[in-house]
């Protein structure tokens, strides 16, 4: 119970932060869900291929127009199947980070399998880009103490949990919190009859705009997450542009990658000499 | 069948009432649901910790700005885990009331277990605050005749049912009725993929505003219920402020806690010498 | 396949029709669903009692202000438990009609049980009001050929199906068609956690207004159905008033009860000497 | 991974394309779902008969007012039960194409059963119209490599998948992509209690308008799909008119049938001598 939590210390002159993050899932969740037996139906894999065929190009062009850098979380398997993906993103100045190897769901795997997938992904990133990734986001945004411990062992930040609305520290890991309510998949993902129909991008754009402007007034982090094949349809891309234009044009916002946020948080915690581990008590 | 129910007698000069109530569930429903075996996953408990880390402070600040007192229903277990919660709320002038010990669901427990949880909660409230609580709200808003009888035995009012839109009497208990459609959880609670996505706080704010203004014209009680970790995100707090500003500024509204409403109802029933037990016939 | 269906012949000077219908279910569906064993929980029956305590009075007052007559479909059991309900509605000039005895669901009962419930309901209506009801609406809007045959045998019209948007004839029965999308229950009914949350009455009011105005331009029947305990909360009653005000003020609309529509349809069919049985082929 | 996909080459002077497609399902999905045993209940078949009784006429009148031609996908069984359907559509200048025989769902049938249903449907189309259909859309929009191969063998284009937002080539078949989010059924189809309630046609009309205008700016195909009995209620027809009026009045849009799009795509691919098979890799 923190009755008067101190305002988070953003870089000088900044009132709040905003991060444009992308979970580049492509067909990885489909391959994971059907790993024990796959039918030969094409609707879902074709639908999920939209990002690689069309959506990613539209997205990086949008980021260029906005003049900001995105944080792209890429499963190892997606990088392997699309070998110019990681180099192409780095070349354009974006951040790339880990997102499992095969989009493994935490409840489906053992601790050891998690560690293996993590190390295998790091190896692939190094091989494809020559660089070691600095951060991780869990597929489906689930974590365990083992996973946090492994991130700590490998010196990685995390961006998977939502216990606060500013960066915080959990098991000595810098946590850059996400938000389900600013994720495109829960509103727009639709892969077949029986699922809840997509919500209006006009409505969700207004909700997210309201959250971004409130973040500015409350000094919090506006963390948005979209997916390569979902929020890249023409009208949704235009919604994103309308959402982000007032953010990038407002000097009060620090538009930062997850990595920049984590680095700032680490310095901030060290500077204050007050470890703010607000873990589960 | 009441063809011409009399207008409810609010205090002199008041046309309607409004109550800002908070069910401070924190992680209690999660602990209850997993009481027989808990995985080590962190997403849900971290998400639910948002209220204690961040949301509650934002909420009491909002109530200060609005200059009204809230009614906070707190499970015993949440008070135990956060020992400055009840004293902190009382110190700020808010009402605290009972909400089960471990957020026990009525269908999961026996009559005796209900009574034990109720008495154990009262004991804890007295121990932490020196005061005996005066009212109760059932976890998940379910009641039985046994529960009503126990509230009667212990001299408590209830706020769990929705058979009317003004205070009423049921088994000699003052019932301060709630409304599912003015509860934040059914619209905004989202704990993981597969659940219905959150609704727009802009849309729900407009719906609630419409209900509040209609309450004024119909002489009813506008009873709103929110939760510590759900409606405390920045933009939702701003929605609440926009909703309540015209309520508190309208002299026709009696902004009252559940306890004040129950005390008024008891006097009203006694004064009229007409017991209006409108129980199930 | 009717490429050019003729315009429906409304009474002279009228372009379209509108009907304000009410399914007075009260607690009947709950009693039916729990007929083989009922817990002692109070939330659902209390919630469903709102219509009899509060909603029905508000509704008949609204109809008085609008100066129109409603069509009230009342299960026999609800009439039995509320003996001044049918007489009270008749006294105010409204239409009352059949809606099963215990809100029996078609898939739960035999043909014979349907017939018994129907005859038992007619008997009760006659006993309580001295009048024989002229029409029927099936609980949950399901029908069978047996049910239509029984309505024919007893000389009753039906209002349960949606194969057209003007009155039509099916198995020689006048069918006054309903519409799921202009029913309050599918949007607003909410009886407990896990159900889909209520939709905005502001949004649904706009949808229904759009349908009413389109009915005028297309010469169809705007058939609205609400329930005693659902659409009678203050703001929803105000939505209904805003919806119906432009309907009753437009001379192009024939505001009629189901019975008046059925009587018109019978005359219309007889006059044209062209039976338009558009049954299932 | 295509970082800079070339703009699709629409006919001279056109920036984008728009297609008004109709899946004329009528009662075929109901007959398929109940093929192993049908109750005698009438609600669903009556509701589904609305298109043949009323909706189709309203739809072809709308297309006449808009002065465009639609692409109608008709299951063989629906054509057989309504023998003036295919000739009537052809007479008005619309395109008719294949949609299974009994709206067979891909997961319910063998490869051989698919082939038989396809050949049987072609035979019926030829018998009823004297013309051989040129294209296919799968019931429920699912495909397999076998189905694509059979379309290739029979010289048919396909319109069932969504891997791009312009026509593309898959297994040498011209694919005219569909979109779940511009389909009326997922938003408006409602056949009984327990289903998700219909969304507002005002909201969906705004979403689709936004997508159509974005298609113009992004050079993509605006492919809309509606159903005979769903989007033909009066207010939804008016929504469609308001949606399509600015499309047909904008010279930048090429309003084309699926067949015209497929023919253009074939010429385009042949002209460029660059087969753009963007199949699953």
């Amino acid at each position: 119970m923190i009755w008067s939590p101190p305002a988070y210390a953003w870089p000088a002159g900044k009132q709040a932060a905003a991060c444009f993050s992308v979970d580049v899932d492509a067909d990885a969740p489909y391959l994971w869900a059907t790993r024990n037996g796959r039918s030969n139906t094409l609707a879902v894999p074709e639908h999920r291929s939209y990002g690689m065929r069309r959506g990613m190009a539209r997205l990086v062009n949008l980021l260029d127009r906005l003049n900001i850098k995105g944080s792209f979380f890429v499963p190892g398997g997606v990088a392997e199947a699309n070998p110019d993906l990681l180099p192409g993103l780095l070349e354009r100045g974006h951040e790339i980070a880990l997102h499992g190897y095969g989009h493994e769901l935490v409840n489906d795997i053992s601790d050891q399998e998690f560690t293996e997938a993590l190390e295998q992904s790091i190896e692939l990133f190094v091989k494809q880009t020559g660089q070691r990734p600095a951060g991780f986001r869990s597929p489906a945004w689930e974590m365990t103490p083992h996973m946090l411990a492994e991130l700590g062992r490998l010196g990685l930040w995390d961006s998977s949990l939502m216990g606060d609305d500013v960066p915080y520290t959990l098991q000595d890991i810098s946590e850059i919190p996400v938000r389900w309510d600013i994720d495109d998949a829960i509103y727009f993902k639709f892969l077949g009859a029986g699922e809840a129909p997509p919500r209006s991008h006009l409505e969700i754009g207004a909700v997210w705009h309201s959250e971004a402007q409130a973040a500015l007034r409350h000094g919090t982090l506006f963390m948005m997450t979209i997916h390569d094949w979902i929020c890249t349809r023409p009208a949704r891309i235009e919604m994103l542009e309308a959402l982000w234009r007032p953010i990038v044009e407002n000097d009060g916002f620090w538009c930062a990658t997850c990595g920049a946020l984590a680095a700032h948080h680490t310095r901030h915690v060290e500077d204050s000499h007050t470890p703010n581990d607000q873990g589960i008590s």
Side-chain angles (χ1 to χ4, degrees), chain A:
Chain A
M1 197 59 234
I2 301 170
W3 286 109
S4 303
Y8 191 81
W10 298 112
K14 299 298 181 184
Q15 301 160 239
C19 179
F20 193 119
S21 78
V22 185
D23 287 3
V24 189
D25 286 353
D27 57 0
Y30 167 77
L31 296 177
W32 181 255
T34 59
R35 66 195 181 283
N36 295 320
R38 197 163 293 145
S39 79
N40 60 352
T41 48
L42 299 173
V44 169
E46 269 300 294
H47 195 170
R48 283 183 168 278
S49 73
Y50 180 77
M52 292 299 134
R53 280 215 194 99
R54 191 67 54 181
M56 285 296 288
R58 204 169 270 153
L59 203 50
V60 296
N61 286 333
L62 168 65
L63 290 171
D64 280 353
R65 284 199 301 279
L66 291 170
N67 197 27
I68 56 173
K69 303 305 176 191
S71 293
F72 290 80
F73 296 87
V74 184
V78 173
E80 193 175 15
N82 299 275
D84 58 352
L85 175 60
L86 296 186
L89 288 168
L90 279 188
E91 189 186 344
R92 284 160 182 80
H94 301 298
E95 175 179 43
I96 55 175
L98 300 159
H99 196 44
Y101 199 89
H103 206 271
E104 305 87 356
L105 298 184
V106 169
N107 287 318
D108 291 344
I109 57 170
S110 67
D111 284 357
Q112 190 183 331
E113 287 169 320
F114 167 75
T115 298
E116 286 167 7
L118 187 65
E119 292 180 342
Q120 190 185 357
S121 299
I122 294 173
E123 199 175 320
L124 182 78
F125 272 55
V126 172
K127 186 178 146 203
Q128 287 194 340
T129 69
Q131 299 179 20
R132 190 180 171 80
F136 173 81
R137 176 174 289 171
S138 173
W141 300 0
E142 184 56 273
M143 291 297 289
T144 65
H146 170 78
M147 293 166 72
L148 285 171
E150 286 295 271
L151 300 189
R153 180 176 66 84
L154 294 163
L156 299 163
W157 48 261
D158 182 52
S159 179
S160 311
L161 295 169
M162 44 195 100
D164 205 340
D165 48 27
V166 292
Y168 65 114
T169 306
L170 198 66
Q171 275 186 226
D172 290 328
I173 300 297
S174 288
E175 177 65 42
I176 313 303
V178 290
R179 289 181 61 170
W180 280 123
D181 61 329
I182 317 180
D183 166 84
D184 65 343
I186 69 166
Y187 300 112
F188 301 136
K189 183 180 155 191
F190 186 88
L191 285 167
E195 297 185 9
R199 293 273 286 280
S200 161
H201 61 272
L202 304 170
E203 177 189 42
I204 303 308
V207 168
W208 291 358
H209 176 74
S210 167
E211 284 290 352
Q213 298 306 308
L216 198 62
R217 288 184 286 265
H218 287 77
T220 57
L221 166 63
F222 178 75
M223 166 65 77
M224 185 195 75
T225 305
I226 62 162
H227 292 74
D228 53 300
W229 63 277
I230 301 178
C231 213
T232 52
R233 296 279 173 179
R236 293 178 188 158
I237 282 284
E238 296 191 351
M239 176 272 270
L240 292 178
E241 183 151 9
L243 170 68
W244 279 85
R245 188 64 64 192
I247 295 174
V248 299
E249 290 178 353
N250 191 316
D251 287 338
F253 265 118
W254 180 36
C255 291
T257 61
C258 289
L261 288 158
H264 171 76
H265 184 65
T266 305
R267 280 194 305 274
H268 168 66
V269 172
E270 285 172 358
D271 286 357
S272 66
H273 298 291
T274 341
N276 69 334
D277 191 328
Q278 299 158 326
I280 303 152
S281 57

